[in-house]
Amino acid sequence: MTIMASGQIRWRRGLLSYAGRTLVMGVVNVTPDSFSDGGLYLEPDKAIARGLELEDEGAAIIDVGGESTRPGARPIPAEEELRRVLPVVEGLARRLSIPLSIDTYKARVAEQAIAMGASMVNDISGLQFDAALAGVLARAGVPVVLSHIQGTPETMQRAPRYADLLGEVKASLQAGIALAERAGVSPDAIIVDPGIGFGKTAAHNLELLRRLSELQALGRPVLVGPSRKSFIGRVLGADGLVEEGTAAAVVAAILHGANLVRVHDVARLRWAVRMADAIKFGVA
Ligand code: PMM
């Protein structure tokens, strides 16, 4: 699966076009403790059904994750992550007609998930956490999302600090791109993500959304994942509707250059995405 200059992503079974529209990545967390959907899809049948439902609702990619990366979360062993995700990947990948992405930073998990049918890897560490992952990606020839993080999920929200937020995020993503390309990952198979909430204060997240267009200098498709993150509650307060806040963040991201957005509630968010796309691209 490769990403072509024309705004298309080639995957095992076809092409995904992000020319003139934003691709929605729908989330299925097979974890007991993820921030918003922890515990809901721990049973493989429920997770598979949820993935199929997200496809019906208009998702272009389904992202399956087995380790929570919420602030303070401890890493889990690869065996446990594989135990959670492999039955879901195996059951879901062959039923979906869209790509299944595996949300992991571990080479072993990525490799086995790809063997079971995953066609894309989503690494929240941007290749910082597992030196073996780049080789797995290169050998499999699958695209990867490289996301920015400062610290680790366990420590990242203790005291995030930047002298130059956009400069540091861009430099770190560029280092991840260089590492991937040195390992043999195709330059057009790399998607970048500023990592909303990953070692960032609410002010940092808002600044990243406001200045997102600066990431286009990296010359790669941009993915953004603001869905249900705590900066929304920080802005809206206890009475705020998180899904409305997510919709606003998704629209801002799209108008500032996001090509893909990662969300939990595809059925609701698709309307905000469709409206933002009409503003950005015009009505087809
Ligand atoms: N956020 C989470 C998990 N994976 N992947 C990418 N590429 N970007 C993100 O912003 C991102 C991610 C955490 O969210 P969740 O646990 O609520 O799904």
Side-chain angles (χ1 to χ4, degrees), residues 222-242:
V222 174
L223 182 146
V224 182
S227 186
R228 300 179 178 172
K229 288 191 176 158
S230 63
F231 77 108
I232 296 170
R234 201 52 80 81
V235 172
L236 302 183
D239 297 336
L241 298 181
V242 170

Side-chain angles (χ1 to χ4, degrees), residues 205-225:
N205 292 319
L206 297 170
E207 184 176 349
L208 283 170
L209 288 169
R210 190 161 55 241
R211 298 176 56 189
L212 190 70
S213 61
E214 294 177 36
L215 292 190
Q216 287 172 345
L218 295 168
R220 322 285 161 151
V222 174
L223 182 146
V224 182

Side-chain angles (χ1 to χ4, degrees), residues 19-22 255 271-284:
R21 75 174 183 130
T22 304
L255 296 181
W271 304 110
V273 171
R274 193 190 291 183
M275 198 64 208
D277 279 354
I279 296 166
K280 182 174 176 178
F281 302 111
V283 179

Side-chain angles (χ1 to χ4, degrees), residues 64 108 123 128 149 245 265 282:
V64 174
R108 249 188 83 199
D123 175 10
Q128 288 186 72
I149 185 168
D265 193 342

Side-chain angles (χ1 to χ4, degrees), residues 2 11 14 24 35 43 95-96 100 129 153 161 213 226 239 249 272-274:
T2 51
W11 67 295
V24 176
F35 194 63
E43 290 161 40
R95 289 188 179 83
L96 287 174
L100 186 152
F129 292 175
R161 289 175 71 89
S213 61
D239 297 336
V273 171
R274 193 190 291 183

Side-chain angles (χ1 to χ4, degrees), residues 8 19 34 85 121 126 152 177 185 194 201-202 210 263 276 279:
Q8 288 181 318
S34 279
V85 297
V121 175
T152 65
I177 290 169
V185 175
T201 63
R210 190 161 55 241
V263 302
I279 296 166

